[in-house]
Amino acid sequence: MIEINKLTKTYDKSSRALKGVDISIEDGEFVFITGRSGSGKSTLLRILLKEVEPTSGRVVVNDMDLGAMPRRYVPRYRRTLGVVFQDFRLLKDRTVYENIAFAQRVIGVPGRTIKEAVPRMLKLVGLSSKYKAFPHQLSGGEQQRVAIARALINQPAVLLADEPTGNLDPQNAMEIMKLLEEINRRGTTVIVVTHSRELVNMMKKRVITMDKGIVISDVREGGYRYEN
Amino acid sequence: MRISTFWYCFKQGIINICRNIWFSLASTAIISACIFLFCVFFSVITNVQHMVVTAESTMGITVFFDETLSGAEIQEIGETIHHEKNTVIKDMKFISAEAAWEEFRSEYFGENTDLAAGFAEDNPLAGSSSYEIYLHNIADQGPMVNYLQSVAGVRKVNYSNSAVAGLSSFNKILTLLCGVILAMLLAVAVFLISNTINVAAEFRKNENKIMRLIGATNFMIRAPFVVEGTLLGLIGASIPLGAMFFLYNSAVEFVMERFQLLSGIIQFLPIEEVYPMMLLVSLALGGGLGFVVSFMTIRRHLRV
């Protein structure tokens, strides 16, 4: 469960990215966070990732109070999250298999476990036949699938996706959304930050809309409120 | 740490080295130069120390006394000298005129004892009772000789030549010089290793950021760079160590040929005695330098 209370983030005196945001997300929910550029969506995501510290307010993720968390516990906390980016952020010099295994190697997972887990994830994202390919040999949609597999391999409780379909054509974007929905169906909480009106309207999931650092609407099975 | 994690970090360290091969070669070369100089100075200093120790234990000061003094008076003066200078004196031996003649006779006439028979009742070395004094540190020889020459009843003081006595101060100057040159080379090595690690960190910037977001610890992010730095240091140390292993004996032969006159004073240690310590210190210096510099350099790249 994610509990956000009176969250404020001020970068400098003139710009306040978040102004007392209150959000509660239950385990296993699928949530879209939408809003114009500069509405505070990305800042919210970065606070959840503990990349930036809030100015005030409280954030509790799976019973862990981020404000009270010592720095040495941050890596362990981040292992409970999966992150997917708009630009995929794959390692160009490594194969699909190595990109996915990377997420386990760097946290010291035994080799035997990696050998079992990676094929399973490849199967989930439908890339079993392309495990030897390098990122540049894949389409945008396939690259994003690799990124999702990498985010999921450590079985995170929450998957954070920042504009996951931003670089994809509508068909690939739809397939990625279906994949995220499938992942959500298996029990992972999915939070997607997006600008895509079509996808938000089509998915009929909870939609939190932000503007100028505040939550202006929070609707179950909602739709997109703003013009892009 | 798991073995698989260790090998992963080790492999990534090697990849770092190969990616920035020119920087890596430059760092290795400067470490090699640094360690080579260290090895040369180490060999010279170890050998000079050995010569000093040998000189200290074999070359004594011989003190002769006025011929008018009796044996008891000479021994009394000897006791006074020992009492006043007991901190610098390692050993002190009284040699009577009779003992001196006996030693000379056996050395000079050897088995032809009949040749010495003419001196049987007339010791040519009568009045040559002496003390042989050995010091803890040959550097104290000068002041000791001055002191002995000022003692009443002392006729003559014989001591080893100043070249040997000067070995000690030569050793000090050499150590100082070695320290200064090494410090300069180490500064250059630190700069180059740090630069190499910085370049590697730039190459891995994206990867480090992903690692951090995935939940990798600072240790895991840092490890490939520390492996890289340590390997550069160890490789840099191994090259001059290999060269020294083959060059040492040749250098010793060269010096002995060129300075045959000094062969009585200069006695080099065999490589078996010099090399083990040189090997350990050089590897520790190279590896340690690479480890510390890479560890410190990568710190500022950790907060991504």
Side-chain angles (χ1 to χ4, degrees), chain A:
Chain A
M1 186 176 180
I2 298 172
E3 276 289 335
I4 298 169
N5 298 117
K6 297 183 173 59
L7 186 65
T8 305
K9 176 65 187 176
T10 308
Y11 286 110
D12 55 58
K13 283 177 185 171
S14 58
S15 80
R16 289 174 71 191
L18 296 173
K19 301 169 191 169
V21 171
D22 290 301
I23 297 173
S24 177
I25 298 171
E26 296 292 328
D27 287 342
E29 268 198 275
F30 191 121
V31 181
F32 283 110
I33 299 178
T34 64
R36 292 191 179 107
S37 295
S39 60
K41 313 183 295 289
S42 296
T43 299
L44 181 63
L45 215 61
R46 293 184 73 195
I47 288 173
L48 285 174
L49 277 167
K50 204 145 168 68
E51 271 196 287
V52 293
E53 295 296 324
T55 307
S56 65
R58 190 160 180 257
V59 181
V60 180
V61 180
N62 297 326
D63 300 325
M64 287 178 274
D65 186 340
L66 302 197
M69 185 181 287
R71 282 215 74 79
R72 65 178 183 280
Y73 290 142
V74 174
R76 198 161 288 277
Y77 161 69
R78 285 182 177 152
R79 290 174 200 178
T80 67
L81 308 175
V83 203
V84 178
F85 300 96
Q86 180 177 354
D87 57 358
F88 322 131
R89 297 199 191 172
L90 299 178
L91 303 174
K92 294 178 179 67
D93 59 339
R94 296 185 210 184
T95 62
V96 166
Y97 183 97
E98 279 304 319
N99 262 287
I100 299 169
F102 175 75
Q104 293 206 304
R105 289 225 162 87
V106 299
I107 60 167
V109 173
R112 193 185 297 170
T113 311
I114 296 173
K115 278 181 187 166
E116 287 168 7
V118 176
R120 204 167 54 237
M121 291 316 302
L122 281 165
K123 194 176 172 190
L124 175 71
V125 298
L127 288 173
S128 295
S129 61
K130 299 207 171 178
Y131 72 100
K132 277 185 179 172
F134 284 90
H136 70 270
Q137 296 169 317
L138 303 175
S139 70
E142 287 171 331
Q143 289 189 52
Q144 194 58 293
R145 284 167 186 271
V146 178
I148 290 171
R150 184 182 66 190
L152 287 175
I153 195 161
N154 292 324
Q155 297 172 316
V158 180
L159 180 69
L160 302 172
D162 189 4
E163 301 280 3
T165 58
N167 284 352
L168 305 179
D169 58 63
Q171 191 187 338
N172 271 316
M174 185 59 68
E175 283 176 9
I176 291 298
M177 277 300 156
K178 281 182 185 164
L179 180 59
L180 292 177
E181 196 173 25
E182 170 61 22
I183 289 159
N184 174 244
R185 205 173 291 129
R186 292 177 180 219
T188 307
T189 305
V190 177
I191 300 172
V192 180
V193 170
T194 185
H195 275 113
S196 173
R197 161 185 293 274
E198 295 76 19
L199 291 174
V200 172
N201 290 339
M202 190 203 71
M203 294 286 285
K204 299 288 181 210
K205 300 288 183 186
R206 179 180 170 190
V207 181
I208 296 171
T209 308
M210 295 183 71
D211 187 34
K212 293 176 185 168
I214 57 170
V215 174
I216 57 165
S217 79
D218 185 349
V219 186
R220 308 229 165 240
E221 296 187 19
Y224 199 87
R225 281 180 60 129
Y226 280 104
E227 293 300 322
N228 285 330

Side-chain angles (χ1 to χ4, degrees), chain A residues 49 51 71 75 78-79 83 85 89-91 93-94 102-103 105-108 110-111 150 154, chain B residues 2 4-5 8 12 15 19 204 206-207 209-218 220 303-304:
Chain A
L49 277 167
E51 271 196 287
R71 282 215 74 79
R78 285 182 177 152
R79 290 174 200 178
V83 203
F85 300 96
R89 297 199 191 172
L90 299 178
L91 303 174
D93 59 339
R94 296 185 210 184
F102 175 75
R105 289 225 162 87
V106 299
I107 60 167
R150 184 182 66 190
N154 292 324
Chain B
R2 292 177 194 282
S4 58
T5 307
Y8 177 77
Q12 295 307 312
I15 289 171
R19 260 187 199 156
R204 281 182 176 262
N206 186 35
E207 188 173 330
K209 191 164 186 181
I210 296 167
M211 283 173 84
R212 182 160 290 279
L213 292 176
I214 286 169
T217 55
N218 278 346
M220 276 303 289
R303 294 202 169 188
V304 287

Side-chain angles (χ1 to χ4, degrees), chain B residues 226-241:
Chain B
V226 175
V227 167
E228 180 188 3
T230 309
L231 280 178
L232 288 178
L234 289 176
I235 295 167
S238 303
I239 295 167
L241 279 171

Side-chain angles (χ1 to χ4, degrees), chain B residues 1-300:
Chain B
M1 188 203 276
R2 292 177 194 282
I3 293 173
S4 58
T5 307
F6 172 80
W7 282 116
Y8 177 77
C9 296
F10 190 79
K11 191 178 154 192
Q12 295 307 312
I14 303 252
I15 289 171
N16 275 0
I17 291 174
C18 297
R19 260 187 199 156
N20 315 309
I21 192 70
W22 290 110
F23 275 96
S24 303
L25 285 175
S27 298
T28 308
I30 197 75
I31 294 170
S32 290
C34 199
I35 302 287
F36 184 75
L37 263 179
F38 169 77
C39 289
V40 170
F41 284 121
F42 183 89
S43 305
V44 173
I45 288 169
T46 309
N47 275 293
V48 170
Q49 272 174 350
H50 167 70
M51 288 170 207
V52 169
V53 169
T54 308
E56 281 166 358
S57 60
T58 57
M59 296 198 179
I61 301 169
T62 311
V63 187
F64 294 97
F65 299 88
D66 292 340
E67 291 177 13
T68 53
L69 295 176
S70 67
E73 287 170 320
I74 290 171
Q75 293 209 19
E76 196 179 323
I77 294 172
E79 279 167 22
T80 308
I81 291 169
H82 191 266
H83 180 70
E84 286 187 15
K85 293 284 177 185
N86 71 334
T87 52
V88 292
I89 293 172
K90 187 171 148 192
D91 192 22
M92 194 165 164
K93 205 161 61 182
F94 176 69
I95 298 167
S96 64
E98 291 72 31
W101 168 239
E102 276 304 314
E103 193 182 337
F104 176 81
R105 196 172 60 175
S106 63
E107 270 182 26
Y108 192 76
F109 297 107
E111 290 176 0
N112 304 317
T113 48
D114 50 327
L115 291 174
F119 299 102
E121 301 300 321
D122 184 19
N123 182 355
L125 296 180
S128 291
S129 297
S130 63
Y131 268 104
E132 267 186 17
I133 300 171
Y134 299 93
L135 306 178
H136 287 292
N137 187 346
I138 204 159
D140 296 326
Q141 185 178 261
M144 186 65 182
V145 167
N146 289 340
Y147 163 76
L148 290 170
Q149 282 169 341
S150 68
V151 173
V154 170
R155 172 168 54 96
K156 189 179 166 191
V157 180
N158 281 353
Y159 55 97
S160 54
N161 67 46
S162 57
V164 174
L167 276 175
S168 190
S169 51
F170 170 71
N171 207 23
K172 279 179 189 163
I173 293 167
L174 197 67
T175 307
L176 191 71
L177 186 71
C178 164
V180 171
I181 295 176
L182 261 181
M184 284 161 61
L185 277 168
L186 281 175
V188 178
V190 165
F191 174 75
L192 272 172
I193 296 173
S194 177
N195 229 15
T196 308
I197 299 296
N198 274 328
V199 172
E202 274 304 311
F203 265 105
R204 281 182 176 262
K205 198 174 178 181
N206 186 35
E207 188 173 330
N208 286 349
K209 191 164 186 181
I210 296 167
M211 283 173 84
R212 182 160 290 279
L213 292 176
I214 286 169
T217 55
N218 278 346
F219 171 83
M220 276 303 289
I221 298 172
R222 186 181 258 164
F225 300 99
V226 175
V227 167
E228 180 188 3
T230 309
L231 280 178
L232 288 178
L234 289 176
I235 295 167
S238 303
I239 295 167
L241 279 171
M244 280 305 288
F245 187 79
F246 294 106
L247 287 176
Y248 183 85
N249 285 336
S250 309
V252 167
E253 278 171 25
F254 176 80
V255 173
M256 294 307 279
E257 272 176 26
R258 291 293 164 114
F259 303 99
Q260 279 181 347
L261 282 174
L262 294 173
S263 59
I265 299 166
I266 298 175
Q267 284 177 333
F268 286 100
L269 284 164
I271 191 163
E272 297 79 35
E273 283 189 39
V274 180
Y275 203 72
M277 183 56 81
M278 188 200 292
L279 180 87
L280 280 177
V281 177
S282 298
L283 287 177
L285 189 66
L289 183 75
F291 178 89
V292 172
V293 174
S294 55
F295 191 88
M296 301 307 286
T297 305
I298 202 61
R299 274 178 74 173
R300 62 194 165 98

